[in-house]
Amino acid sequence: MIVATHLFAWNPSLWAWPELAADVRRVVRRGHLDTDWNAGRTRAIEVGSRAFLVRVGVPPKGIFGAGYVLTLPVTRPHWWPEKAARGVTAQYVDLRLTELHMLPPLTYADLAVPPFARFRWGVRTSGVRVPTALADALEELWERRTAAVPAPPPRARRR
């Protein structure tokens, strides 16, 4: 069975993700991190779909996390308080992130060459589906690139 692949965007200029370093360490320690994520307006996301996190808006831009979709999309108030106050909603899914990095192992420069160059990686919303042929190539490149990324050092314990 072929599962779909979706991009889930993170723009640090809109949300700082203050727990990112701790979440990276959690993934290393536990092997995964379960989190909910905005899926924009996309409702056609299946449980088990492959998920990649893409950093947009602020350099360094690129793919910095991967995992799987755990739930079907559900409608909730928009994550941006001003939009939520106006009654705007968004779709959300639960993700199990099995890899998460502070910096993108796959940069926009990596994705600017064939076959990746024909796809717009700087998505404006989450939940965008990656075409199957590109998803397969992305998976291979991700595996090669992340195999060479060292694990982050453990955080010093307070006494």
Side-chain angles (χ1 to χ4, degrees), residues 21-32 152 154-155 157:
D23 287 345
V24 168
R25 287 190 300 272
R26 271 187 205 97
V27 170
V28 170
R29 190 173 59 250
R30 292 185 196 157
H32 71 274
R155 184 174 179 183
R157 296 188 184 252

Side-chain angles (χ1 to χ4, degrees), residues 22-125:
D23 287 345
V24 168
R25 287 190 300 272
R26 271 187 205 97
V27 170
V28 170
R29 190 173 59 250
R30 292 185 196 157
H32 71 274
L33 170 72
D34 292 344
T35 186
D36 66 330
W37 203 271
N38 172 20
R41 295 179 184 216
T42 308
R43 295 174 191 209
I45 298 176
E46 298 176 355
V47 172
S49 294
R50 188 70 161 130
F52 283 97
L53 294 181
V54 61
R55 180 180 167 132
V56 298
V58 178
K61 299 174 187 177
I63 298 177
F64 71 103
Y68 298 90
V69 176
L70 295 175
T71 63
L72 293 173
V74 296
T75 304
R76 294 200 326 241
H78 198 280
W79 61 270
W80 199 331
E82 293 82 9
K83 287 187 175 188
R86 294 193 318 261
V88 177
T89 60
Q91 300 299 310
Y92 292 84
V93 294
D94 288 345
L95 299 178
R96 172 158 290 172
L97 300 176
T98 55
E99 296 181 75
L100 187 62
H101 303 273
M102 291 297 296
L103 300 173
L106 291 182
T107 66
Y108 275 16
D110 298 320
L111 300 170
V113 299
F116 307 108
R118 64 180 184 225
F119 186 76
R120 185 177 182 273
W121 297 96
V123 296
R124 295 185 55 89
T125 186

